[in-house]
RNA sequence: GCCGGGAUGGCGGAAUUGGUAGACGCAAGGGACUUAAAAUCCCUCGAACUCUAUGGUUCAUGCCGGUUCAAGUCCGGCUCCCGGCACCA
């Protein structure tokens, strides 16, 4: 017979809710703690992959409350997005209704798991009360020049029929539907995240509570490189070519230049020349090719323009090419090429018989002339570089940069890989961009008293094009400035705008004068612990950092970094794949809770693996957790068993109790839930082996066991707590503290090694001196035989651990 | 290619600043209870050898080498797996 988890869980969930035990307020004399899990997209049913995220958080939340922290632990839904719109097309149901239904079932499941959110702070991003503030911030950004519209090459997903931000293109595919992304030139809205590139990069150093790999991923994504911009004049022309290089030390080795195919100067340079038609054909070929083979390792190709540039340092004439290996979107779209010291330039030069001029030679082997087999990219000694010859190339970088700046041939510059954030989406289910286009007045932001711009309901979801653009009532409007006929922007915002500040809204979720009140936000922010998946390392986590900094500069809040500590939990794997609806390998929360109860489900996901690692789902493992809870239940109801061999005595039990408190407390703080649970299991085993005479120690240990278990398995713990005779909720109980003095034993067992090999174990008094211990070891039967006819050279004693006797002869 | 992370029994995973490798659990095998099954409980459980005195010896933390009284842990050199970026000048 197993315990009746069904009625127990239902009973206490109701009790906790009725008594508002999870409500958080700003008024408290306790220290605040803001704990947050990444909010979900309301797609319907929860599986154990989702649940893992919340269970990690909830266990920590319950631990923090018992440790006297004033906790903010909210939940919400990232409710805008394509699936709702697709559901609308497929099932003829309005996205708003579909979303609400999904939220309802998800909330139910979250409650069934016993998650202790303050539901009064619920935030749903698809509601006008929320997205109104997306529009409000947009308008402020627009006024400050942080939001702007431009014609640019964009990533277009043909299946989702919308453009995507750079961060949302994974391996050339759409992050959501995995369709191949196309390049389209479109006029789109951007947020100027590049204004914050330097700060976003610099502040990564402050985020010591983040996993190193996330910081590195963001650093690489921002991609700062410092170098030199140099102007190369074109021979017999007024034109100048600006290039960017991080290797000024190779400036004397330039033997050709290369343009990206899209570079506007190319067309101008070849205008009217005999090669014009041929080159244009080549350029078109490359541009088309680029779209098709994004990922493949492409053969380098190029064509000589028939023009020469002048190296401003040497006055050498260098041929100009256009090539497929130069990127328009990075640097200036034109590069200087040094085949001797850059592998790509080298390959190109070999193919087109361009001279290779060495300007750096290895410090070890310096040769007069030789045929290079590949580019020499290391540091070395400068040669063929006029007054810089003989310098170390490392020093030459700054020396040549100084020289170039002095002679006004160029200047030091910084480039980033980070691009501005494209926020326009050609979809219905998102925040309308609050802009009106008037023939007379141009682009006009919607004034605050006309806001929010609400999504129209008279729309048809046909699956073709943006439904918003077809809504007459929405599109046609009056210009706020001149009152004449005007037209609304029909793009909506990227859903990542919604998730860039939801955690700030939780601090003041009902506020209707501003996104949030400064007093409340100052109290709660930053988020002390954020928990979520690694997949957002450069998406949500980067956008949120930008948004928070931008809001700070608007005076809305004081903190520049939203998330102090970050935990990235691993995936839940079943049958070799990530648990997901599309793979068909999900274990639903409903099934788990129905079969074993929430406490078992919670205990299993925490015990099976450390949070940051992937977790292999195991049905047997779940049964093991269930078995353990039943055993604890039986202990509380019936007391320890009688048939064990060696009984635990009171003194030992008392010591183990303190040890366990220490271990569990320290482990939870470090998110080592698996070892914390193991310690609780060991503690249970000791209690269960207690000799049958009831004692105060036994009673205290059982009480402690239940408290320690309660953050992990809250329902059964609450029930057992009441069975033990307590009338207050276990949630109000203080977390136990351990006494270091109680951990000390009178006698301990230490290892004895001979020449580093374990040869025996002896029992000693804890505070025994080394000489004493050596004597005990010498008289030990097992040790004795290893010491016969041997000379003791030295002994190494590690207190409370081991004695190593080094012998010779 | 570059940058991260990882590799420990049949499995998930433990092992403070280097200090008794394999905690805890799962699976497996044996036994008790039962008409039987489930549930529960007890015992065994890295490998090989040895001894039947159930104790001992040797080998074992991806591979090769080193430092050390002592290495899963530190150093040097590899192999494989996972993740990120990818012609970034």
């Amino acid at each position: 017979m197993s315990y009746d988890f069904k009625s127990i869980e239902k009973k206490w969930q109701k009790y906790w809710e009725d008594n508002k035990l999870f409500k958080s307020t700003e008024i408290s004399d306790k220290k605040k703690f803001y704990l947050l899990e990444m909010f979900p997209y309301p797609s319907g049913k929860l599986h154990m992959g989702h649940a893992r995220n919340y269970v990690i958080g909830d266990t920590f939340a319950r631990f923090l409350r018992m440790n006297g922290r004033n906790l903010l632990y909210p939940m919400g839904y990232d409710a805008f997005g394509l699936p709702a719109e697709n559901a609308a097309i497929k099932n003829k149901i309005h996205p708003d209704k579909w979303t609400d239904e999904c939220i309802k079932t998800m909330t139910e499941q979250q409650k069934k798991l016993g998650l202790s959110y303050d539901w009064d702070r619920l935030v749903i991003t698809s509601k006008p009360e929320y997205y109104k503030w997306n529009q409000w911030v947009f308008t402020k950004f627009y006024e400050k020049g942080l939001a702007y519209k431009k014609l640019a090459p964009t990533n277009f997903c043909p299946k989702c029929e919308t453009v995507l931000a750079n961060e949302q293109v994974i391996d050339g595919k759409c992050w959501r539907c995995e369709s191949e992304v196309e390049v389209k030139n479109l006029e789109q809205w951007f947020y100027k995240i590049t204004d914050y590139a330097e700060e976003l990069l610099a502040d990564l150093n402050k985020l010591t509570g983040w996993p190193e790999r996330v910081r590195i991923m963001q650093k690489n994504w921002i991609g700062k490189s410092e170098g030199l911009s140099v102007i190369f004049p074109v021979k017999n022309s007024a034109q100048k070519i600006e290039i960017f290089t991080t290797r000024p030390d190779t400036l004397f080795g330039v033997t050709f230049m290369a343009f990206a195919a899209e570079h506007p100067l190319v067309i101008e340079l070849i205008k009217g020349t005999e090669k014009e038609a041929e080159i244009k054909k080549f350029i078109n070929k490359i541009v088309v090719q680029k779209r098709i083979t994004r990922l493949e390792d492409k053969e380098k190709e190029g064509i000589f323009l028939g023009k020469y540039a002048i190296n401003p340092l040497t006055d050498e004439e260098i041929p100009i090419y256009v090539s497929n290996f130069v990127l328009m979107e990075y640097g200036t779209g034109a590069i200087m090429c040094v085949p001797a010291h850059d592998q790509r330039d080298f390959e190109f030069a070999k193919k087109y018989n361009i001279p290779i001029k060495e300007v750096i030679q290895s410090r070890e082997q310096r040769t007069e002339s030789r045929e290079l087999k590949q580019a020499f990219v290391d540091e070395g000694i400068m040669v063929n570089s006029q007054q810089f010859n003989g310098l170390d190339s490392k020093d030459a970088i700054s020396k040549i940069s100084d020289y170039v700046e002095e002679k006004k041939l160029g200047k030091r510059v910084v480039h980033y890989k980070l691009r501005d954030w494209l926020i326009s989406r050609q979809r219905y289910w998102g925040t309308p961009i609050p802009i009106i286009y008037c023939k007379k007045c141009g682009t006009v932001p919607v004034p605050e008293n006309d806001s929010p711009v609400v999504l129209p309901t008279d729309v048809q979801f046909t699956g073709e094009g943006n439904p918003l653009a077809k809504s007459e009532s929405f599109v046609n409007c009056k210009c706020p400035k001149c009152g004449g006929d005007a037209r609304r922007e029909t793009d909506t915002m990227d859903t990542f705008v919604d998730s860039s500040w939801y955690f700030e809204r939780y601090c003041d979720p009902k506020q209707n004068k501003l996104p949030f009140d400064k007093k409340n936000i100052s109290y709660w922010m930053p988020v002390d612990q954020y928990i979520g998946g690694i997949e957002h390392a450069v998406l949500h986590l980067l956008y949120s950092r930008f948004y928070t900094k931008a809001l700070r500069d608007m005076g809305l809040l004081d903190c520049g970094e939203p998330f102090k500590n970050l935990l990235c939990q691993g995936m839940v794997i079943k049958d070799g794949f990530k648990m997901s609806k599309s793979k068909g390998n999900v274990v639903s929360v409903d099934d788990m809770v129905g079969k074993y109860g929430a406490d078992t489900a919670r205990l299993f996901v925490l015990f099976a693996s450390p949070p940051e690692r992937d977790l292999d789902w195991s049905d047997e493992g779940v049964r093991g957790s269930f078995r353990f809870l039943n055993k604890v239940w039986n202990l509380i109801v019936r007391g320890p068993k009688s048939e064990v061999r060696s009984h635990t005595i009171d003194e030992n039990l008392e010591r183990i109790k303190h040890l366990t408190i220490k271990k569990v407390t320290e482990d939870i703080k470090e998110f080592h839930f698996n070892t914390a649970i193991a310690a609780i299991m060991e503690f249970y085993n000791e209690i269960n082996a207690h000799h049958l005479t009831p004692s105060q120690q036994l009673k205290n240990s059982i009480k402690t066991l239940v408290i320690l278990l309660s953050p992990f398995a809250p329902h059964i713990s609450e029930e057992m707590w009441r069975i033990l005779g307590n009338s207050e909720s276990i949630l109000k109980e203080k977390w136990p503290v351990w006494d270091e003095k109680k951990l000390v034993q009178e006698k301990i067992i230490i290892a004895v090694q001979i020449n580093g090999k374990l040869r025996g174990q002896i029992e000693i008094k804890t505070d025994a001196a080394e000489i004493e211990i050596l004597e005990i070891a010498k008289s030990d039967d097992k040790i004795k035989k290893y010491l016969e006819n041997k000379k003791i050279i030295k002994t190494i004693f590690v207190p409370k651990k081991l004695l190593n006797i080094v012998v010779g002869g």
Side-chain angles (χ1 to χ4, degrees):
Chain A
M1 266 297 283
S2 52
Y3 80 102
D4 182 9
F5 56 85
K6 276 198 178 125
S7 64
I8 289 172
E9 292 183 356
K10 214 169 146 189
K11 174 167 78 179
W12 295 116
Q13 280 164 14
K14 186 171 185 303
Y15 177 89
W16 296 330
E17 193 167 344
D18 289 351
N19 289 277
K20 297 217 172 272
L21 289 170
F22 305 133
K23 198 166 165 48
S24 39
T25 67
E26 289 75 24
I27 309 142
S28 172
D29 49 6
K30 298 173 187 170
K31 216 171 147 196
K32 76 99 184 177
F33 196 101
Y34 187 177
L35 173 65
L36 184 67
E37 295 132 24
M38 288 181 187
F39 67 165
Y41 180 82
S43 57
K45 292 218 158 173
L46 278 183
H47 59 68
M48 291 311 294
H50 304 115
R52 186 182 191 195
N53 185 230
Y54 312 137
V55 168
I56 290 167
D58 185 67
T59 300
F60 196 54
R62 290 170 180 272
F63 171 78
L64 289 168
R65 285 198 199 91
M66 292 174 91
N67 277 280
R69 302 300 287 266
N70 186 35
L71 186 72
L72 175 57
Y73 184 49
M75 181 40 64
Y77 298 95
D78 191 10
F80 270 140
L82 260 184
E85 219 169 314
N86 291 337
I89 296 162
K90 214 170 137 190
N91 310 324
K92 304 270 173 258
I93 176 171
H94 192 274
D96 191 40
K97 199 162 169 245
W98 184 82
T99 304
D100 281 349
E101 280 172 14
C102 286
I103 289 175
K104 200 171 150 251
T105 54
M106 276 177 94
T107 306
E108 261 170 38
Q109 291 171 82
Q110 287 171 316
K111 286 184 176 173
K112 272 196 209 165
L113 278 169
L115 304 175
S116 58
Y117 302 122
D118 177 1
W119 288 103
D120 290 348
R121 290 178 185 258
L122 179 68
V123 165
I124 297 170
T125 60
S126 61
K127 301 297 173 192
E129 307 87 84
Y130 183 82
Y131 71 70
K132 171 189 165 79
W133 301 109
N134 286 343
Q135 296 176 345
W136 187 85
V137 170
F138 176 94
T139 309
K140 300 279 176 208
F141 278 9
Y142 181 76
E143 285 162 9
K144 288 185 69 177
L146 269 180
Y148 67 95
K149 197 175 192 186
K150 72 169 176 191
L151 181 71
T154 61
N155 311 296
F156 184 84
C157 172
K159 195 172 167 209
C160 300
E161 293 191 65
T162 183
V163 298
L164 301 168
N166 285 348
E167 290 79 5
Q168 291 154 13
V169 181
I170 318 285
D171 285 345
K173 297 188 174 96
C174 171
W175 70 288
R176 198 186 273 286
C177 75
E178 294 185 19
S179 305
E180 202 74 39
V181 168
E182 297 167 3
V183 178
K184 271 197 180 181
N185 267 313
L186 292 168
E187 232 191 287
Q188 298 287 303
W189 286 97
F190 289 84
Y191 276 170
K192 214 168 175 187
I193 190 170
T194 52
D195 269 10
Y196 287 86
E198 188 56 46
E199 198 192 340
L200 286 167
L201 179 69
D203 284 357
L204 284 173
N205 292 326
K206 293 185 195 162
L207 299 175
T208 50
W210 284 36
E212 186 67 18
R213 59 179 170 152
V214 176
R215 292 198 280 166
I216 289 169
M217 276 154 95
Q218 290 210 358
K219 188 181 165 208
N220 292 340
W221 190 262
I222 296 166
K224 179 182 182 176
S225 57
E226 289 171 88
L228 201 59
S229 151
V230 187
I231 308 290
F232 282 64
V234 178
K235 191 190 166 195
N236 301 329
S237 160
Q239 300 284 12
K240 291 179 186 337
I241 305 169
E242 189 191 354
I243 60 96
F244 172 68
T245 181
T246 53
R247 293 292 305 274
D249 51 331
T250 64
L251 259 167
F252 289 88
V254 176
T255 56
F256 68 102
M257 305 199 77
F259 276 112
E262 303 90 339
H263 202 293
L265 203 55
V266 176
I267 300 296
E268 281 189 50
L269 285 175
I270 60 171
K271 203 172 276 173
T273 67
E274 54 196 44
K275 291 182 95 180
E276 185 174 357
E278 190 195 343
I279 293 168
K280 274 191 174 166
K281 209 175 133 193
F282 176 80
I283 289 172
N284 275 336
K285 196 183 104 189
I286 290 177
V287 173
V288 171
Q289 212 179 42
K290 247 187 182 168
R291 283 182 203 162
I292 305 165
T293 56
R294 261 189 103 89
L295 296 170
E296 281 144 49
D297 212 12
K298 280 166 281 182
E299 168 86 22
K300 290 179 181 43
E301 277 186 88
I303 188 165
F304 178 46
L305 298 185
K307 298 268 177 181
Y308 292 87
I310 307 292
N311 185 334
L313 274 79
T314 62
D315 291 334
E316 286 168 318
E317 288 182 11
I318 42 184
I320 305 170
Y321 285 75
V322 57
S323 172
N324 65 345
F325 79 92
V326 185
L327 300 172
M328 189 60 219
E329 42 312 343
Y330 186 75
T332 62
I335 57 170
M336 65 174 212
C337 298
V338 188
H341 305 293
D342 182 286
Q343 189 55 28
R344 292 156 301 179
D345 301 350
F346 181 83
E347 284 164 28
F348 192 87
K350 278 281 171 194
K351 185 167 174 180
Y352 295 100
N353 281 316
I354 301 166
I356 295 169
K357 182 184 172 192
E358 268 188 276
V359 290
I360 299 167
Q361 286 195 337
S362 150
R363 289 173 192 126
E364 289 75 36
Q365 28 171 205
R366 300 182 57 181
T367 37
E368 275 309 302
S369 72
R370 58 177 159 164
E371 177 119 4
L372 287 171
K373 293 217 167 49
Q374 56 180 15
F376 176 76
V377 295
D378 299 334
E379 292 173 354
I381 306 294
M382 303 290 290
V383 295
N384 297 326
S385 301
Q386 300 176 7
Q387 69 267 43
F388 302 100
N389 283 344
L391 279 180
D392 197 295
S393 67
K394 204 168 53 196
D395 304 325
I397 292 179
S398 57
K399 291 259 161 59
I400 293 178
S401 298
D402 288 344
Y403 180 79
V404 165
E405 286 193 322
E406 219 169 88
K407 299 278 174 190
K408 304 222 182 321
L409 305 171
K411 58 173 191 290
R412 284 182 166 89
V413 286
V414 176
H415 276 282
Y416 299 92
K417 287 188 210 171
L418 183 70
R419 298 276 87 96
D420 277 338
W421 175 13
L422 199 174
I423 60 149
S424 290
R425 295 294 177 272
Q426 291 72 51
R427 303 301 318 185
Y428 169 82
W429 196 229
T431 305
I433 292 177
I435 286 287
I436 288 167
Y437 300 106
C438 168
K439 281 209 178 80
K440 233 163 70 191
C441 313
T443 304
V444 184
V446 174
E448 202 175 337
N449 45 355
D450 288 345
S451 94
V453 177
V454 182
L455 286 166
T457 48
D458 62 332
V459 284
Q460 294 297 313
F461 296 95
T462 57
E464 278 162 33
N466 180 358
L468 261 193
K470 287 184 262 173
S471 166
E472 297 288 319
S473 68
F474 181 79
V475 175
N476 298 319
C477 62
K478 297 290 175 201
C479 170
K481 261 191 190 163
C482 70
D485 284 344
R487 181 173 71 72
R488 256 182 223 290
E489 171 65 64
T490 57
D491 282 356
T492 52
M493 292 182 203
D494 182 5
T495 56
F496 282 93
V497 173
D498 309 334
S499 55
S500 288
W501 69 284
Y502 76 103
F503 44 90
E504 278 143 8
R505 182 70 179 173
Y506 282 141
C507 299
D508 195 9
K510 308 246 159 51
Q511 178 60 246
N512 58 16
K513 303 239 164 21
L514 281 169
F516 38 77
D517 178 76
K518 194 152 181 188
K519 210 176 89 215
N520 285 357
I521 200 113
S522 303
Y523 178 75
W524 291 114
M525 284 296 284
V527 173
D528 292 282
Q529 180 66 55
Y530 200 25
I531 305 168
I534 185 76
E535 65 272 18
H536 285 111
V538 284
L539 285 156
H540 161 61
L541 289 170
L542 186 65
Y543 296 142
S544 298
R545 294 182 60 219
F546 154 67
Y547 215 82
T548 298
K549 288 177 192 301
L551 296 184
R552 175 205 59 197
D553 290 346
M554 285 163 53
L556 285 170
L557 52 89
D558 295 321
C559 78
E561 283 294 339
F563 314 121
K564 198 170 163 205
N565 295 293
L566 174 68
L567 175 75
C568 290
Q569 97 273 5
M571 297 179 295
V572 176
I573 307 287
K574 188 167 182 277
D575 311 324
F577 297 100
K578 177 184 179 174
M579 197 174 273
S580 76
K581 213 151 98 183
S582 57
K583 281 272 187 301
N585 58 348
V586 295
V587 175
S588 83
V589 164
D590 277 345
D591 284 355
M592 268 295 107
V593 170
K595 209 165 165 190
Y596 298 107
D599 287 335
T600 294
R602 294 169 58 114
L603 196 69
F604 171 71
V605 296
L606 295 174
F607 181 57
S609 180
E612 61 277 9
R613 222 183 286 188
D614 286 350
L615 182 154
D616 254 317
W617 188 262
S618 147
D619 290 328
E620 290 79 21
V622 178
R623 279 200 288 276
S625 295
F626 185 57
R627 206 175 296 155
F628 174 68
L629 289 181
N630 274 298
K631 287 198 277 189
V632 178
W633 177 261
N634 287 333
L635 171 71
I636 303 303
V637 178
R638 298 185 211 142
K641 302 193 283 259
S642 54
E643 61 271 24
V644 288
R645 254 196 221 163
S646 56
H647 291 295
T648 310
I649 58 166
D650 286 339
E651 291 82 88
N652 280 343
L653 194 60
E654 182 67 9
R655 190 177 57 84
I656 292 161
K657 184 185 91 184
H658 285 272
L659 262 179
T660 308
I661 295 170
K662 182 179 178 177
K663 173 83 178 148
V664 173
T665 307
E666 290 176 348
D667 279 354
I668 294 178
K669 282 184 183 162
E670 301 283 318
F671 296 109
H672 297 162
F673 298 121
N674 54 333
T675 47
I677 293 168
I680 292 172
M681 287 172 168
E682 284 179 78
F683 187 33
Y684 159 83
N685 290 338
E686 290 294 342
I687 296 173
N688 206 33
H690 188 269
H691 63 88
L692 279 176
T693 324
S695 66
Q696 196 56 40
Q697 279 87 349
L698 177 66
K699 225 179 127 187
N700 287 342
S701 288
I702 289 176
K703 183 181 155 188
T704 304
L705 177 75
V706 173
I707 299 171
L708 293 180
L709 185 63
S710 68
F712 303 95
H715 311 87
I716 190 175
S717 301
E718 180 83 88
E719 180 74 18
M720 293 188 297
W721 185 246
R722 306 304 177 112
I723 290 172
L724 291 175
N726 299 289
S727 52
E728 260 298 2
S729 168
I730 195 165
L731 302 179
K732 301 250 173 114
E733 188 66 16
K734 277 211 176 70
W735 191 255
V737 287
W738 73 92
D739 181 352
E740 284 287 340
K741 282 189 270 225
K742 293 277 173 64
L743 303 180
V744 182
Q745 280 173 284
E746 232 175 83
K747 285 184 166 183
I748 52 167
I749 292 166
I750 65 160
V752 181
Q753 296 181 335
I754 308 291
N755 290 345
K757 279 197 195 303
L758 179 70
R759 294 302 182 195
Q761 291 171 327
I762 54 171
E763 192 182 45
I764 58 157
K765 281 204 183 111
T766 306
D767 53 1
E770 186 177 345
I771 308 166
E772 250 177 283
I773 295 165
L774 182 62
E775 286 314 311
I776 298 168
K778 276 178 177 170
S779 59
D780 185 86
D781 284 346
K782 278 182 196 163
I783 303 302
K784 222 186 256 173
K785 62 183 181 190
Y786 288 98
L787 298 175
E788 274 166 24
N789 306 320
K790 296 275 164 60
K791 213 175 106 191
I792 296 176
I793 297 166
K794 64 171 170 175
T795 57
I796 292 123
F797 176 57
V798 183
K800 294 177 192 175
K801 287 258 161 115
L802 61 76
L803 179 73
N804 186 12
I805 304 167
V806 183
V807 296

